[in-house]
């Protein structure tokens, strides 16, 4: 058996998504900027996709812009707001994805704005009192805080943060890459100026994402070139990606309750099996709390053991694909910046399991056994 439990890193394509993309891979190849019928066919598919996404998020299609994914979207929005809107202070947290943190490092190194980091509590949640203080001291800031953390799954309260931002006339951007397609975002109910999504995190294709930018916010493009995306992002559009993105999101919204309860059951099952089979196991951040964490992520904190060195390797040999911290940084031997920022014990191993609607209970039982037997073996 080979089990894939790394869905926060990327997800398999849904066959309905492949079917929707197929004509645009095979026959509908026109450049959407061309005015002939081949071009118009592609243009029409893009605008249809934009409308689908806008309706699901309850915004206007003119507020959706396609990008190559979450990283580009975060870079574009954050740099755009700082460059174009005269923002001199940015408030964020140390557990954001590198798509945000490294963008902020760049902004800081260029002297474009001061970066302030909000304190986190012992579970890795935002200290909202400190956020309010920072906003009091720095009105007219940009706040960039993610919805759900990709490593520990902790969920932030977008409504509450949005209201704090409103009181201090600040802009609010959220990296929603881990929650788009898995939670409903009704943007009419949130004081959010921008958010981003990435199709490969919800069974769509890789290399395509979007940014929502609230109407009326005039920010400069990040990628200069042709007049695509209403002058906000130069470059010929990834038509089949855009079609696949919209289809994937449509499916997620159509079946969200069913997917959610299936995945929540898998997460609960894994927690109960590990609690029963593995002495000294606990969970990083608040990932075992179903109310306060993303239902598709469980970050397991393992006992001190020589086994921790080769943990992911041995799980892989045993047939389980999972990751340690963020998969986006795998390949680098720097530890997880998230676990470090929340003060996790470096001597204890960490493995992030992340689930999808395609996982089964048998796969969860298999993974729990493979992980537990590694530790039993090393203690014997
Ligand atoms: N933001 C978060 C929270 C993520 O988890 C990821 C990918 O893991 C990204 C941004 C980057 O998205 P993409 O892979 O589409 O560039």
């Amino acid at each position: 058996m080979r089990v894939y439990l790394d869905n926060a890193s990327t997800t398999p394509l849904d066959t309905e998504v492949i079917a929707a993309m197929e004509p645009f891979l095979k026959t509908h190849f026109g450049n959407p900027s061309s005015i002939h019928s081949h071009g118009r066919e592609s243009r029409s598919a893009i605008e249809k996709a934009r409308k689908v996404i806008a309706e699901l998020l309850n915004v206007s299609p003119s507020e959706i812009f396609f990008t190559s994914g979450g990283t580009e979207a975060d870079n574009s929005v954050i740099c755009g707001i700082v460059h174009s809107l005269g923002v001199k202070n940015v408030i964020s947290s140390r557990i954001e994805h590198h798509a945000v943190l490294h963008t902020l490092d760049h902004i800081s190194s260029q002297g474009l704005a001061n970066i302030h980091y909000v304190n986190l509590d012992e579970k890795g949640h935002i200290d909202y009192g400190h956020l309010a203080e920072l906003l009091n001291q720095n009105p007219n800031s940009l706040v960039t805080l993610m919805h759900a953390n990709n490593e520990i799954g902790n969920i932030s309260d977008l409504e509450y943060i949005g209201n704090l931002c409103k009181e201090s006339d600040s802009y609010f951007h959220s990296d929603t890459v881990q929650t788009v397609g898995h939670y409903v975002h009704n943007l009419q109910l949130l004081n959010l100026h921008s958010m981003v999504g990435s199709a490969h995190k919800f069974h769509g294709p890789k290399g395509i994402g979007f940014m929502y930018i609230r109407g009326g916010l005039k920010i400069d493009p990040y990628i200069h070139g042709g007049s695509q995306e209403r002058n906000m992002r130069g470059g010929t559009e990834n038509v089949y990606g855009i079609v696949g993105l919209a289809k994937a999101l449509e499916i997620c919204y159509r079946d969200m309750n069913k997917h959610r309860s299936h995945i929540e059951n898998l997460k609960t099952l894994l927690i109960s099996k590990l609690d029963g089979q593995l002495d000294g196991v606990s969970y990083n951040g608040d990932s075992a709390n179903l109310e306060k964490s993303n239902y598709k992520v469980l970050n397991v904190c393992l006992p001190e053991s020589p086994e921790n060195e080769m943990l992911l390797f041995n799980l892989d040999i045993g047939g389980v694909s999972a990751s340690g911290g963020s998969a986006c940084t795998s390949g680098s031997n720097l530890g997880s910046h998230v676990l470090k920022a929340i003060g996790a014990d470096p001597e204890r191993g960490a493995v992030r399991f992340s689930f999808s609607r395609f996982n089964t209970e048998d796969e969860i039982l298999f993974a729990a056994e493979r992980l537990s037997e590694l530790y039993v073996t090393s203690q014997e």
Side-chain angles (χ1 to χ4, degrees):
M1 196 181 215
R2 282 203 55 77
V3 176
Y4 183 77
L5 290 174
D6 198 14
N7 291 281
S9 167
T10 196
T11 54
L13 271 173
D14 190 300
T15 50
E16 273 191 79
V17 172
I18 297 173
M21 290 169 68
E22 208 176 336
F24 296 89
L25 287 157
K26 284 185 169 165
T27 50
H28 302 359
F29 62 88
N31 186 321
S33 297
S34 303
I35 52 169
H36 49 59
S37 66
H38 286 79
R40 291 200 307 274
E41 187 169 55
S42 296
R43 163 68 42 216
S44 149
I46 292 177
E47 296 317 322
K48 237 195 230 159
R50 198 188 310 279
K51 195 158 172 271
V52 166
I53 296 162
E55 272 171 15
L56 295 173
L57 301 178
N58 201 9
V59 297
S60 153
S62 63
E63 296 173 304
I64 301 294
F65 302 89
F66 293 111
T67 66
S68 66
T71 303
E72 184 195 318
D74 277 328
N75 272 264
S76 305
V77 173
I78 294 170
C79 292
I81 291 179
V82 170
H83 284 145
S84 316
L85 303 178
V87 164
K88 289 286 164 239
N89 290 286
V90 181
I91 300 171
S92 189
S93 103
R94 298 264 181 211
I95 61 170
E96 292 290 308
H97 190 273
H98 282 150
V100 168
L101 286 180
H102 290 171
T103 303
L104 298 182
D105 288 346
H106 171 74
I107 285 171
S108 168
S109 71
Q110 300 286 303
L112 297 170
N114 304 310
I115 318 293
H116 309 265
Y117 293 97
V118 68
N119 293 340
L120 302 168
D121 70 16
E122 69 285 354
K123 289 276 185 196
H125 289 294
I126 290 156
D127 175 342
Y128 292 112
H130 186 228
L131 178 60
E133 242 174 72
L134 288 174
L135 280 167
N136 259 337
Q137 291 157 5
N138 305 284
N140 314 115
S141 291
L142 163 64
V143 171
T144 172
L145 289 168
M146 69 205 314
H147 189 193
N149 185 273
N150 46 303
E151 294 191 35
I152 53 175
N154 283 20
I155 297 253
S156 304
D157 187 341
L158 296 187
E159 193 178 341
Y160 189 78
I161 300 170
N163 290 338
L164 286 181
C165 290
K166 200 174 201 167
E167 285 166 20
S168 77
D169 288 328
S170 292
Y171 298 104
F172 180 25
H173 167 65
S174 186
D175 177 343
T176 46
V177 164
Q178 289 292 337
T179 53
V180 168
H182 305 288
Y183 289 81
V184 171
H185 297 91
N186 180 348
L187 296 189
Q188 295 311 310
L189 302 179
L190 297 173
N191 181 49
L192 201 52
H193 293 85
S194 53
M195 65 172 266
V196 299
S198 178
H200 74 103
K201 307 289 188 184
F202 50 89
H203 306 288
K206 294 173 183 53
I208 186 71
F210 70 88
M211 49 191 178
Y212 154 78
I213 301 175
R214 190 193 276 181
L217 270 195
K218 292 260 172 297
I219 67 175
D220 291 338
Y222 187 72
I223 293 185
H224 300 273
S227 58
Q228 290 91 351
E229 295 302 284
R230 300 176 311 290
N231 291 311
M232 275 301 288
R233 201 261 184 184
T236 302
E237 297 90 336
N238 172 356
V239 185
Y240 39 80
I242 290 171
V243 169
L245 159 59
K247 185 47 137 187
L249 198 59
E250 216 177 356
I251 298 167
C252 285
Y253 271 75
R254 185 186 72 199
D255 299 330
M256 195 178 284
N257 290 339
K258 193 172 84 187
H259 296 157
R260 182 175 179 154
S261 71
H262 173 68
I263 299 170
E264 275 180 351
N265 283 339
L266 299 180
K267 178 165 169 171
T268 309
L269 178 63
L270 185 56
I271 294 171
S272 80
K273 286 291 156 193
L274 293 179
D275 284 348
Q277 293 171 3
L278 235 169
D279 281 348
V281 72
S282 62
Y283 302 94
N284 286 310
D286 220 2
S287 71
N289 180 336
L290 285 183
E291 302 287 305
K292 291 188 172 174
S293 72
N294 193 338
Y295 57 88
K296 61 181 192 146
V297 171
L298 183 69
N299 196 311
V300 183
C301 178
L302 293 148
E304 274 186 46
S305 158
E307 196 56 48
N308 291 338
E309 279 282 308
M310 300 294 280
L311 172 58
L312 293 175
F313 178 76
N314 284 332
L315 269 180
D316 188 22
I317 300 282
V320 180
S321 296
S323 78
S326 169
C328 296
T329 55
S330 64
S332 91
N333 56 7
L334 302 170
S336 150
H337 70 280
V338 172
L339 295 183
K340 195 167 164 217
I342 64 170
D345 182 348
E347 298 304 319
R348 297 185 61 175
V351 56
R352 179 191 69 180
F353 292 109
S354 48
F355 321 99
S356 88
R357 59 186 186 245
F358 296 120
N359 288 122
T360 63
E361 288 192 2
D362 281 348
E363 291 179 331
I364 297 298
L365 296 176
F366 180 82
E369 266 171 37
R370 292 295 79 77
L371 182 62
S372 305
E373 74 194 9
L374 286 179
Y375 285 85
V376 173
T377 316
S378 77
Q379 281 160 16
E380 277 168 356

